[in-house]
Amino acid sequence: MNKYVINGGKPLSGRVDISGAKNAAVAILPAALLVEGICRIDNIPNISDVNLWLSILQYMGARIKRLGDTEVEIDSTDIRRVAPPYDLMRKMRASYYLVGAMLGRFGWAEAGMPGGCDFGERPIDQHIKGFRALGAKVEVRNGAIHAVTENGIRSGHVFFDKRTVGATINVMIAAACAPGQTVIENANKEPHIVDVANFLNSMGADIRGAGTDLIKIRGRKLHGGSYSIIPDQIEAGTFIAAVAATGGDVIINNIIPKHLECITTKFAEIGVDISEGDEYIRVSRPADRKLRPTHVTALPYPGYPTDMQPQIASCLCLANGTSFLTDGVYENRFRYVDELRRMGADITVDGKTAVIRSVKELTGAPISACDLRAGVAMIIAGLSAKGRTEIDGIEHIERGYQDIVSKFRSIGADISIVEYPDGSEVSAVV
Ligand code: EPU
C-alpha cells in the first residue's frame, strides 16, 4: 500500500501548471463514441479515471492511439454494441455517460450502475427522465441500466426537476445526433458542460445555449476532428486553497481565470491576495496574516463549487474565528471531518452545515483520504500542520489529480509517496 507522507509547516512558492479538466474529460471520452471517424483530443489529464475510460472504449472496439502524455486519438468507426464489464463501470461515477453515448449511437444501452465517491444518496432519476423524454424505455435491474428505443433515439423536451451536472451532459450527449430539436430546461452551467458542448460542436453537432439554463440541440451526424480540453477549475482551486492554508506565493498557470472567479472571490474574502493574468493567477498570503472566518455555501455554478468544499474546510480550521460551511449540493459530503479532528480541528456537523471553530494549530497524524476532494483536503491540512502526516487511501486522489505529489514538491512542499508493504514498516520512497 502506498501513502503520502508530509512534513508540514512550510510555505509554498513557485509556479505550478494545471492539467486538463477531469470532469470534462470523463464526459468527452465516452461522447467520442458518437463520432464515426477520428477524434484527436488534447489536454487530457493523465489520471486513473481517464485510463479506465480508454480501457472501456477499447473493449467496445474503439481504436485508441496515445500521442503523448496528454493527447489521444480515438477512432470509434468500428465500435461494437456491447455492455462493458460491470467491474470497470462501477469504479467511477462518470460511467453513466456511456448510457447517453450508446443510446445516441445505437439506440440501445446497457451499463453497470455508476460508482464514485460516497456523499450519501446519489440517484440518477434525472438522467432516466431525460432518456425517457428522448423516447427510450429505461429500467434498472441486476445492478445495470438497460435502455432501449424502437428505432433509435429521438429529440424531445426535458425539464430537470433539480440542478444536475451529470444529467445535463448526458442528455446533451444522447441528443447530439437525434433527428429534430431537443430542448433542455433548468440545465446546469458549469464550465465543463460548455466544454462538452464545444467538443461535440467541433465534431459537427449543433448545440446552443450551453452555459445557460436553456440548451437547444439540433441533431446532426458527427465527423472526426480535434479538440483541446479546458484546464481543471477544481485542480487550480485546490492549489489556491493550499497556498491559503500554508501561506506563500504561487503562480497557478494554464488556467481560465473567469472559470475560477467563483473560487477566487471567496479566498480573497478570507484574506488571500489574488491577481490575475491572461492564463494565470498569482496567489499569496504573508505568513503573519491569519485567514478571516467566513460563511460558505456550495452551490451549482456560478456558486462556490461543492468540489472545493473540503479544501476550504482545511483552510478555515486555522482562521481567526468561527466559520460556517454548508453543502447545498450533496446530503453528506462531510465524512472527512473525522480525519481533520485527528489533527486537532474543532468541527461539528449539523445536517448539511459544518461549524468550524478556529484552533491554534493542526498537528500531523495518520489519516485517510475517504474520497477524491476529501483526499486533497487532507494534503492541504497536512501541509499546514505541525509535524508528520501520513495519508492512506491515496488511490482516491489519483483518480482525479495528475502528478499531484510532484506538483506540490515543485512549489516547495515536503511530500513524498512511501510504499508500505502490507502490515510492515516503510520500505521504499517512490
Ligand atoms: N441528483 C439527483 N438525481 C439525478 C442526478 C443528480 O437527485 O438524476 C442529485 C445528486 O444526488 C446530487 C445533486 O443532484 O445531490 C447534484 O448532482 P450532479 O448530477 O450535479 O452531480 P454528478 O453528475 O453526480 C458531477 C461531478 C462531481 C461533482 C458534481 C457537482 C462528474 C463525474 N462528477 O457529479 O464531481 O461534485 O457534478 O458539481 O463529473 C468530484 O469531481 O469530486 C465530483 C464528485
Side-chain angles (χ1 to χ4, degrees):
M1 176 178 45
N2 286 352
K3 297 185 187 182
Y4 294 164
V5 173
I6 300 171
N7 292 300
K10 297 181 180 60
L12 301 175
S13 71
R15 194 189 91 151
V16 65
D17 290 327
I18 298 305
S19 301
K22 166 199 166 252
N23 285 346
V26 297
I28 285 173
L29 290 173
L33 271 190
L34 295 174
V35 180
E36 291 183 48
I38 296 177
C39 294
R40 183 178 276 216
I41 308 169
D42 192 14
N43 207 29
I44 293 205
N46 193 353
I47 52 177
S48 57
D49 270 10
V50 159
N51 293 330
L52 201 53
W53 263 128
L54 294 176
S55 307
I56 291 171
L57 296 181
Q58 207 154 21
Y59 177 88
M60 296 177 75
R63 277 192 291 274
I64 311 277
K65 212 192 274 177
R66 280 263 187 199
L67 304 175
D69 195 28
T70 61
E71 194 173 9
V72 70
E73 222 173 62
I74 301 172
D75 181 354
S76 303
T77 310
D78 298 323
I79 205 87
R80 292 178 298 139
R81 209 186 107 139
V82 285
Y86 186 58
D87 279 353
L88 287 182
M89 299 296 287
R90 65 186 301 187
K91 281 192 181 149
M92 64 178 158
R93 180 73 183 160
S95 58
Y96 49 41
Y97 293 134
L98 199 63
V99 180
M102 290 174 86
L103 274 174
R105 180 80 189 251
F106 307 120
W108 169 93
E110 194 183 305
M113 283 287 277
C117 302
D118 176 8
F119 312 137
E121 218 195 329
R122 293 180 79 182
I124 56 161
D125 57 306
Q126 298 303 303
H127 299 245
I128 293 175
K129 176 180 179 175
F131 299 143
R132 285 183 177 147
L134 304 183
K137 289 202 172 86
V138 189
E139 263 189 283
V140 177
R141 63 183 138 81
N142 306 117
I145 307 165
H146 301 257
V148 289
T149 61
E150 299 255 312
N151 289 307
I153 206 87
R154 56 168 163 77
S155 51
H157 194 120
V158 183
F159 194 111
F160 287 125
D161 302 317
K162 65 191 315 183
R163 302 290 302 277
T164 147
V165 173
T168 300
I169 292 179
N170 226 344
V171 172
M172 254 177 13
I173 294 174
C177 308
Q181 176 170 274
T182 294
V183 176
I184 306 176
E185 293 197 64
N186 200 23
N188 266 46
K189 307 172 192 168
E190 276 70 5
H192 49 286
I193 294 178
V194 180
D195 207 41
V196 178
N198 287 343
F199 162 76
L200 289 166
N201 286 344
S202 72
M203 305 291 147
D206 181 355
I207 301 176
R208 300 180 196 193
T212 74
D213 56 14
L214 180 71
I215 301 178
K216 291 185 178 166
I217 304 155
R218 291 192 188 86
R220 296 275 183 269
K221 188 168 164 54
L222 305 189
H223 50 70
S226 300
Y227 192 72
S228 185
I229 292 178
I230 53 167
D232 198 307
Q233 175 205 35
I234 304 299
E235 186 195 1
T238 300
F239 281 100
I240 298 173
V243 178
T246 62
D249 190 348
V250 172
I251 289 182
I252 301 175
N253 194 42
N254 182 31
I255 53 140
I256 298 173
K258 181 78 195 155
H259 292 170
L260 291 181
E261 280 172 7
C262 52
I263 300 167
T264 49
T265 45
K266 200 35 122 180
F267 279 90
E269 192 185 301
I270 63 174
V272 179
D273 295 327
I274 300 178
S275 57
E276 200 177 293
D278 272 353
E279 291 189 351
Y280 69 89
I281 54 171
R282 180 174 173 182
V283 182
S284 61
R285 177 175 73 78
D288 58 356
R289 185 195 298 160
K290 285 203 97 173
L291 293 173
R292 291 188 279 272
T294 191
H295 289 223
V296 193
T297 300
L299 290 170
Y301 190 81
Y304 182 86
T306 173
D307 294 343
M308 280 296 303
Q309 183 262 92
Q311 297 90 318
I312 202 168
S314 291
C315 299
L316 294 172
C317 291
L318 298 172
N320 202 9
T322 301
S323 298
F324 296 84
L325 177 56
T326 301
D327 198 312
V329 176
Y330 292 112
E331 64 177 33
N332 179 13
R333 201 176 192 170
F334 288 114
R335 288 196 310 141
Y336 64 87
V337 160
D338 277 344
E339 304 303 305
L340 289 179
R341 287 197 191 110
R342 290 178 203 277
M343 304 177 76
D346 181 355
I347 308 179
T348 46
V349 177
D350 183 7
K352 288 181 147 200
T353 299
V355 181
I356 306 173
R357 290 171 211 85
S358 68
V359 290
K360 204 166 128 272
E361 61 182 14
L362 294 177
T363 48
I367 51 175
S368 289
C370 53
D371 62 62
L372 172 63
R373 309 300 173 187
V376 287
M378 296 307 114
I379 296 181
I380 292 168
L383 292 173
S384 64
K386 197 169 164 196
R388 176 183 163 106
T389 293
E390 286 177 15
I391 305 175
D392 63 25
I394 60 173
E395 65 284 356
H396 292 294
I397 302 174
E398 294 175 356
R399 274 185 45 221
Y401 286 83
Q402 176 175 339
D403 303 329
I404 185 89
V405 167
S406 49
K407 286 187 185 187
F408 270 118
R409 286 172 74 94
S410 74
I411 52 174
D414 183 346
I415 175 170
S416 22
I417 308 177
V418 175
E419 205 176 289
Y420 284 73
D422 286 343
S424 73
E425 292 301 306
V426 179
S427 81
V429 178
V430 287

